[in-house]
């Protein structure tokens, strides 16, 4: 997802379908965001992206995997081909979300569902597998 925001190519639907199932609850707003990128050649996100802080595997059953993911994001910045900022969006503080991934017929895992995010404490985060995050490469 972070890679596609910084390196959009193809149609919005093609990009979103790489990461999300069409039945994903937030498919439409995510696709609307990618339509902005697809309709404006050279537009891309230039902020560091979503910072994954920790991850925890909850369950694997058949073609489904349930994960808890802690993340945060600073201000979101979309720039044009010249590098000028054209849009900004507010980011979010550290939170944890339970996500269901589903393995598709092409053997790729995609977001299928998620539960509402909750704030996360430092103690709870310390019990998760830490993720080394380097940010979006320019």
């Amino acid at each position: 997802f972070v890679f596609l925001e910084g390196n959009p190519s193809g149609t919005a639907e093609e990009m979103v379908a790489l990461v999300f199932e069409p039945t994903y609850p937030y498919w439409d707003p995510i696709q609307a965001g990618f339509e902005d990128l697809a309709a404006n050649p050279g537009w891309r996100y230039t902020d560091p992206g979503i910072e994954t802080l920790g991850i925890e595997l909850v369950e694997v059953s058949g073609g489904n995997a349930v994960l808890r993911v802690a993340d945060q994001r600073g201000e979101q910045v979309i720039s044009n081909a010249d590098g000028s900022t054209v849009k900004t969006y507010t980011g979010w503080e550290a939170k944890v979300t339970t996500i269901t991934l589903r393995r598709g017929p092409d053997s790729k895992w995609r977001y299928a569902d998620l539960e509402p995010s909750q704030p996360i404490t430092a103690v709870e985060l310390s019990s998760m597998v830490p993720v080394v995050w380097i940010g979006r490469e320019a």
Side-chain angles (χ1 to χ4, degrees):
F1 183 81
V2 171
F3 177 82
L4 287 173
E5 285 182 331
N7 303 279
S9 64
T11 68
E13 186 170 350
E14 289 168 340
M15 287 185 278
V16 176
L18 288 171
V19 182
F20 302 92
E21 289 194 343
T23 56
Y24 183 72
Y26 297 99
W27 173 280
D28 290 337
I30 292 169
Q31 184 170 327
F34 275 96
E35 284 172 0
D36 226 9
L37 300 178
N40 296 285
W43 281 29
R44 67 204 178 287
Y45 280 79
T46 53
D47 62 274
I50 299 169
E51 179 182 2
T52 302
L53 304 169
I55 191 164
E56 175 182 32
L57 179 62
V58 176
E59 176 185 5
V60 177
S61 176
N64 292 325
V66 179
L67 307 168
R68 292 181 71 239
V69 178
D71 63 28
Q72 65 187 9
R73 187 170 192 171
E75 181 181 55
Q76 301 173 59
V77 179
I78 297 177
S79 299
N80 63 18
D82 298 328
S84 300
T85 299
V86 292
K87 289 187 178 189
T88 61
Y89 300 100
T90 304
W92 58 83
E93 297 294 321
K95 63 177 178 53
V96 63
T97 308
T98 300
I99 300 168
T100 301
L101 301 175
R102 186 165 297 126
R103 182 174 279 185
D106 59 0
S107 296
K108 294 181 182 175
W109 292 92
R110 291 181 178 81
Y111 286 74
D113 200 4
L114 79 161
E115 296 178 13
S117 298
Q118 303 292 324
I120 188 166
T121 65
V123 171
E124 188 178 10
L125 182 58
S126 70
S127 72
M128 300 176 89
V129 175
V131 175
V132 176
W133 181 78
I134 59 169
R136 187 185 336 267
E137 301 211 7

